[in-house]
């Protein structure tokens, strides 16, 4: 009778489940489990570790710091994008691209484009041009450097890139990322324009509409995968970066949807802050974007190194004699 009651005891069941998830499951390796159970075990371990590291690494504080650097660099970054877009005759697409990246903040994106255009106008002639270009590159360089520092801390890398590698890698990122944004946004606009004309085939147009509907999700995954592979100063496997990018991209698009639906709060903010209301909303959007991005980095690290944390609790509780034995070996 007592044994039967203990089996049906919900408190003991919860304790057993918690012990299994936090201790017992870490005693199983890939050699002990097969098929779908191995996959489920690794998924749980990766998610568990990513949440644990997210808390222990104080990611929210690091996202706040990166929000500050992003706010300083946002105008120079857009100015660089506009400058590259002008070389391809696509500068007219920048505003639409920003609207897509910052949904529900049309006024803010228009301000940023205006400030960036003014920035370029004031750096066209003489010594001012040289100083302006140097400052533009320096601000973007500093932002990427701080992002790399955070990613290296997530990946437990004590050494960053050398100065020469920073210059070459960062310049490549400065050129490739704006070019990617310009080409993708321009191609989407061209496809949308084509669909509205009388020249398209109906079935083909429906395919294009489906592609455009899923394009933001696909482009977000591509961008995050690129970030997770390139930014850390270590080798990141493509599959781990891709899975983390898919999860982080889904979370980012969900946040965007909630953010857009929550724009009804803007009227309340306007009553208090006036035109200044756009700034706290912009800061909130940037910080949440960084929180999601950095969690994806934690997930890619956890999934790639999940096997290193098997028997972690057991190893922390080994005897001094056995520890000395392992040290000698």
């Amino acid at each position: 009778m007592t044994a039967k009651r203990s089996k049906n005891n919900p408190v003991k069941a919860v304790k057993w489940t918690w012990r299994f998830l936090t201790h017992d499951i870490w005693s199983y390796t890939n050699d002990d489990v097969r098929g779908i159970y191995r996959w489920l075990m690794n998924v749980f371990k990766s998610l568990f570790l990513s949440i644990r590291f997210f808390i222990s690494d104080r990611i929210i504080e690091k996202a706040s710091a990166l929000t500050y650097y992003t706010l300083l660099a946002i105008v120079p970054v857009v100015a660089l994008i506009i400058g590259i877009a002008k070389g391809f005759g696509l500068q007219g697409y920048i505003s639409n691209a920003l609207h897509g990246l910052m949904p529900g903040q049309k006024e803010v994106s228009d301000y940023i484009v205006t400030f960036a255009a003014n920035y370029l106008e004031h750096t066209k002639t003489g010594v001012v041009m040289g100083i302006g270009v140097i400052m533009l590159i320096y601000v973007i360089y500093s932002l990427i450097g701080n992002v790399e520092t955070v990613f290296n801390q997530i990946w437990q890398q004590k050494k960053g890139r050398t100065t020469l590698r920073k210059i070459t890698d960062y310049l490549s990122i400065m050129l490739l990322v704006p070019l990617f944004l310009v080409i993708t946004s321009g191609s989407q606009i061209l496809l949308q324009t084509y669909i509205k004309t009388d020249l398209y085939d109906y079935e083909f147009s429906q395919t294009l509409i489906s592609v455009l509907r899923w394009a933001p999700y696909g482009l977000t995954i591509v961008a995050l995968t690129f970030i997770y592979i390139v930014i850390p100063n270590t080798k990141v496997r493509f599959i781990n970066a891709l899975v983390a990018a898919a999860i982080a991209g889904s979370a980012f698009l969900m946040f965007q949807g909630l953010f857009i639906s929550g724009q009804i709060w803007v009227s309340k903010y306007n009553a208090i802050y006036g035109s200044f209301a756009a700034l706290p909303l912009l800061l909130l959007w940037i910080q949440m974007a960084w929180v999601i991005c950095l969690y994806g980095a934690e997930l890619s690290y956890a999934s790639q190194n999940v096997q290193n944390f098997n028997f972690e609790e057991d190893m922390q509780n080994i005897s001094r004699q056995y520890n000395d034995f392992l040290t000698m070996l």
Side-chain angles (χ1 to χ4, degrees), residues 2 6 15-16 21 26 38 49 59 64 67 79 131 146 187 201 214 217 230 234 239 241 248 253 264 298-299 301:
T2 306
S6 63
K15 288 183 178 179
W16 180 89
L21 296 178
W26 299 94
R38 175 193 289 183
L49 287 174
I59 292 300
S64 300
T67 299
I131 297 175
N146 283 285
S187 61
D201 177 75
W214 289 97
Y217 180 63
V230 173
T234 187
I239 186 62
L253 292 179
I264 56 174
E298 292 282 13
L299 183 58
Y301 168 75

Side-chain angles (χ1 to χ4, degrees), residues 120-134:
L120 290 175
E121 285 295 326
H122 287 285
T123 58
K124 279 187 175 179
T125 57
V127 179
V128 178
M129 177 181 178
I131 297 175
V133 171
I134 291 173

Side-chain angles (χ1 to χ4, degrees), residues 123-291:
T123 58
K124 279 187 175 179
T125 57
V127 179
V128 178
M129 177 181 178
I131 297 175
V133 171
I134 291 173
M135 288 300 297
L136 182 147
I137 295 175
Y138 173 76
V139 171
I140 301 175
Y141 180 91
S142 300
L143 173 63
I144 301 175
N146 283 285
V147 174
E148 184 199 347
T149 300
V150 174
F151 272 64
N152 285 339
Q153 291 172 355
I154 290 173
W155 281 88
Q156 308 296 319
Q157 293 295 316
K158 295 182 179 180
K159 292 184 179 181
R161 289 172 169 84
T162 62
T163 303
L164 181 61
R165 277 199 61 202
K166 283 184 178 181
I167 294 174
T168 56
D169 293 353
Y170 290 4
L171 284 177
S172 300
I173 293 172
M174 289 181 198
L175 294 174
L176 291 176
V177 173
L179 187 61
F180 171 77
L181 291 174
V182 170
I183 293 176
T184 52
S185 61
S187 61
Q188 288 188 65
I189 293 172
L190 289 175
L191 289 175
Q192 291 172 351
T193 304
Y194 171 77
I195 290 174
K196 294 177 182 179
T197 64
D198 297 329
L199 301 175
Y200 70 86
D201 177 75
Y202 177 78
E203 293 183 0
F204 183 61
S205 68
Q206 296 305 307
T207 304
L208 287 179
I209 290 173
S210 300
V211 170
L212 291 174
R213 185 180 296 116
W214 289 97
Y217 180 63
L219 295 176
T220 302
I221 292 177
V222 171
L224 288 174
T225 303
F226 175 81
I227 291 172
Y228 294 153
I229 292 176
V230 173
I231 296 297
N233 187 34
T234 187
K235 185 177 181 179
V236 182
R237 291 199 293 263
F238 174 77
I239 186 62
N240 299 105
L242 180 62
V243 171
I247 294 175
S250 301
F252 180 72
L253 292 179
M254 288 175 61
F255 166 71
Q256 279 194 340
L258 292 174
F259 190 83
I260 295 172
S261 62
Q263 288 298 300
I264 56 174
W265 300 337
V266 174
S267 59
K268 298 180 181 179
Y269 274 105
N270 285 337
I272 301 173
Y273 296 106
S275 60
F276 189 72
L279 182 58
L281 290 173
L282 175 63
L283 291 174
L284 173 64
W285 185 86
I286 294 175
Q287 180 168 9
M288 286 305 301
W290 275 121
V291 167

Side-chain angles (χ1 to χ4, degrees), residues 23 312-320:
H23 178 268
E312 182 182 22
E313 186 174 339
D314 295 329
M315 287 188 292
Q316 292 174 352
N317 296 324
I318 64 175
S319 66
R320 174 60 186 270

